Amino acid sequence: MTQTLFRDDAYLAECSATVTAVTGQGLVLDRTVFYPLGGGQAGDTGVLVLADGREIPIADTRKGKNAEGQFTADICHLPALPDPAASVEDHLLRMGVKAGDIVTARVDWARRHRLMRFHTTTHLLCHLVPQLVNGCSITPDYARLDFNMTDALDKDVLSAGIAHLVAAAHPVTVGSISDAELDANPALVKSMSVQPPRGSGQVRTIRVGAGPDALIDFQPCGGTHVANTSEIGAVVVTKIEKKSATTRRVVLGFAT
Ligand SMILES: [Zn+2]
């Protein structure tokens, strides 16, 4: 099991950790600052620094899977392979990495911060567009959110709405509710495509806005977020697409 430091502090860019397993899915650590692909948000990249100073570039981070294909509580750090045909396990063994080794796990912070800015912006969009979400993808270069709706959306109106919420500098806070509270309030789940991060009896939540009078958005989410909407900066809607008769896709980008 990997301790998920990024859930409590999204601003932690590095940590010391112990290798618990070297597998075909990558290196498993006892704790990590690397976010694994999930909830629409891309997995982190970065480096693992070995005790002798050598660096293992990490190309992606994924949740571990068991033989039945179900997610485990391990987080797997996938090394960039110099030879794409090489096996992950062989590459790591050749580098002399083994269980018990101490490493420094360091995320590509500039890339992660872009992911955080985009992820929080998608929650602002959930406030601006009160329809259910049926698709989501957050990458370092753009993000897209698909809404289950037939009405048209206006790119400039949404960009202005985002800019207004960014300028208002709303705090973004992590909390949790119980599975039972979530079951009693199904409307909190705004996504048809992403399941709330259940499993421990508690579901992690993200609140945008302080207090009941200034609540912008509140929903279950396992992703990494900025601490204040002002940190989002210049994010705009670059495109709106009619993806299907019942889906409008909103694409976000950084204003240049
Ligand atoms: Zn989210």
Side-chain angles (χ1 to χ4, degrees):
M1 183 190 152
T2 308
Q3 197 189 341
T4 53
L5 302 182
F6 53 84
R7 294 211 200 282
D8 297 320
D9 184 359
Y11 288 85
L12 213 53
E14 70 172 61
C15 71
S16 165
T18 303
V19 176
T20 55
V22 177
T23 76
Q25 298 174 63
L27 272 168
V28 183
L29 304 177
D30 65 336
R31 53 196 222 134
T32 191
V33 291
F34 281 65
Y35 179 84
L37 170 75
Q41 183 178 330
D44 277 330
T45 66
V47 291
L48 300 185
V49 187
L50 304 177
D52 62 10
R54 285 182 301 150
E55 292 188 351
I56 303 176
I58 299 300
D60 199 0
T61 309
R62 299 289 178 97
K63 291 174 187 159
K65 283 187 182 170
N66 63 18
E68 288 77 46
Q70 292 153 336
F71 289 125
T72 67
D74 288 341
I75 293 181
C76 299
H77 305 72
L78 258 178
L81 293 175
D83 171 6
S87 101
V88 169
E89 215 167 350
D90 285 352
H91 172 67
L92 291 170
L93 292 173
R94 251 199 307 276
M95 289 202 68
V97 189
K98 56 187 188 314
D101 286 357
I102 308 285
V103 299
T104 299
R106 185 180 298 146
V107 292
D108 179 338
W109 175 250
R111 178 181 180 279
R112 154 70 89 70
H113 192 238
R114 294 200 298 273
L115 289 165
M116 286 162 57
R117 290 167 65 198
F118 273 145
H119 198 146
T120 305
T121 310
T122 64
H123 286 215
L124 300 185
L125 276 177
C126 288
H127 166 75
L128 296 169
V129 183
Q131 269 76 15
L132 281 175
V133 170
N134 61 14
C136 172
S137 176
I138 298 157
T139 81
D141 303 312
Y142 69 91
R144 59 175 170 75
L145 206 56
D146 296 336
F147 288 98
N148 184 47
M149 61 190 295
T150 52
D151 292 342
L153 287 169
D154 187 291
K155 187 173 90 155
D156 296 331
V157 169
L158 286 181
S159 285
I162 291 167
H164 180 74
L165 293 165
V166 169
H170 293 288
V172 180
T173 46
V174 178
S176 69
I177 57 173
S178 67
D179 284 355
E181 283 174 286
L182 181 58
D183 290 337
N185 296 282
L188 288 177
V189 180
K190 297 176 183 178
S191 175
M192 303 154 74
S193 59
V194 174
Q195 292 302 311
R198 290 177 189 261
S200 62
Q202 290 285 310
V203 182
R204 188 176 183 265
T205 56
I206 297 295
R207 176 188 296 273
V208 182
D213 299 337
L215 181 63
I216 304 299
D217 185 70
F218 180 75
Q219 59 177 298
C221 176
T224 57
H225 289 267
V226 294
N228 189 290
T229 58
S230 62
E231 216 180 296
I232 290 170
V235 170
V236 294
V237 175
T238 55
K239 205 167 24 172
I240 286 172
E241 293 170 322
K242 185 177 171 180
K243 212 193 138 213
S244 76
T246 55
T247 303
R248 297 293 176 276
R249 170 168 290 178
V250 179
V251 183
L252 297 167
F254 295 114
T256 46

